[in-house]
C-alpha cells in the first residue's frame, strides 16, 4: 500500500540540521506513527512521504516554510522578572507556558539580565532547514474512527 490520504504510517527517522548535527531520532525507540493528511507531522515531510511504501528509504530536505516556519521577531520579548512568581531561579533554556491573546504559547528563556528576562515563543527549529533520513516501517488503511478523530489509535497512537 502506498502512503496516501488517511493512511496510517509508521517510520523511523533521523533529523539533522545543515551542520550535520543530529537534532532528533527514533533510533532505539518505536517508529513515529501518524495519520497521513491530518496535519499530524510537518507539511514538508508529509509531502515527501506521499506515494512511498513499506521498506522505502528516503532523504527529505524540508524548508522552514514547510517545517516550523520562519523566525517571528515579535515572538521574542523582554518581560519583568516578577512575571515568574514562584520560580526561584530563572535560567536560559528554561521553558514556560505563557498566556497570550491567542491562547497558550510555550516560550523559552534566552537571556536573564537583572530584572529583565528575554523569552522566545518561536519553535526551537523555526528558521532552520530540516534534513530527514527516513525508512517507512508500516503503512495501513486508517479505521473510520481514526479518520473521524484525526489521529492514530492503538499501538503508537492515541488511546481514549
Amino acid at each position: 500500500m502506498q502512503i496516501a490520504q488517511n493512511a496510517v504510517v509508521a517510520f523511523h527517522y533521523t533529523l539533522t540540521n545543515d551542520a550535520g548535527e543530529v537534532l532528533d531520532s527514533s533510533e532505539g525507540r518505536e517508529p513515529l506513527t501518524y495519520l497521513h493528511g491530518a496535519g499530524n507531522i510537518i507539511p514538508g515531510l508529509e509531502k515527501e512521504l506521499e506515494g512511498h511504501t513499506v521498506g522505502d528509504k528516503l532523504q527529505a530536505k524540508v524548508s522552514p516554510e514547510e517545517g516550523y516556519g520562519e523566525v517571528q521577531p515579535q515572538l521574542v520579548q523582554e518581560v519583568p522578572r516578577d512575571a515568574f512568581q514562584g520560580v526561584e531561579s530563572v535560567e536560559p533554556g528554561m521553558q514556560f507556558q505563557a498566556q497570550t491573546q491567542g491562547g497558550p504559547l510555550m516560550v523559552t528563556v534566552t537571556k536573564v539580565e537583572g530584572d529583565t528576562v528575554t523569552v522566545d515563543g518561536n519553535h526551537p527549529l523555526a528558521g532552520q532547514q530540516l534534513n530527514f533520513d527516513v525508512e517507512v516501517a508500516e503503512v495501513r488503511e486508517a479505521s473510520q474512527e481514526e479518520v473521524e478523530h484525526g489521529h492514530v489509535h492503538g499501538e503508537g497512537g492515541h488511546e481514549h
Side-chain angles (χ1 to χ4, degrees):
M1 177 175 175
Q2 287 189 324
I3 297 174
Q5 182 73 29
N6 296 331
V8 171
V9 181
F11 66 94
H12 283 286
Y13 67 95
T14 298
L15 169 61
T16 58
N17 60 17
D18 279 344
E21 299 168 311
V22 174
L23 303 175
D24 194 13
S25 175
S26 65
E27 188 174 329
R29 301 185 309 207
E30 292 296 314
L32 177 67
T33 304
Y34 77 100
L35 177 62
H36 194 79
N40 298 157
I41 63 173
I42 57 174
L45 182 56
E46 192 167 56
K47 284 179 188 175
E48 291 288 332
L49 287 166
E50 183 93 24
H52 285 278
T53 60
V54 171
D56 283 359
K57 294 181 180 182
L58 63 137
Q59 293 183 324
K61 291 190 179 298
V62 178
S63 68
E65 300 79 27
E66 293 283 301
Y68 292 100
E70 294 292 349
V71 172
Q72 297 178 47
Q74 71 272 22
L75 293 180
V76 178
Q77 296 184 351
E78 291 183 346
V79 295
R81 168 65 180 88
D82 61 12
F84 298 87
Q85 292 180 3
V87 180
E88 194 173 306
S89 177
V90 178
E91 304 289 334
M94 294 175 85
Q95 292 188 311
F96 295 92
Q97 184 170 320
Q99 296 303 322
T100 69
Q101 291 177 338
L105 176 68
M106 286 301 296
V107 297
T108 302
V109 175
T110 58
K111 185 167 59 173
V112 180
E113 281 186 340
D115 290 335
T116 303
V117 178
T118 304
V119 295
D120 186 346
N122 287 287
H123 187 281
L125 298 177
Q128 294 189 43
Q129 176 166 298
L130 307 173
N131 304 298
F132 289 90
D133 282 320
V134 176
E135 181 175 359
V136 179
E138 180 185 350
V139 181
R140 69 170 172 82
E141 209 171 301
S143 70
Q144 187 60 41
E145 185 179 47
E146 288 172 322
V147 173
E148 288 170 5
H149 289 192
H151 57 250
V152 177
H153 292 171
E155 190 173 324
H158 183 81
E159 298 290 344
H160 286 277

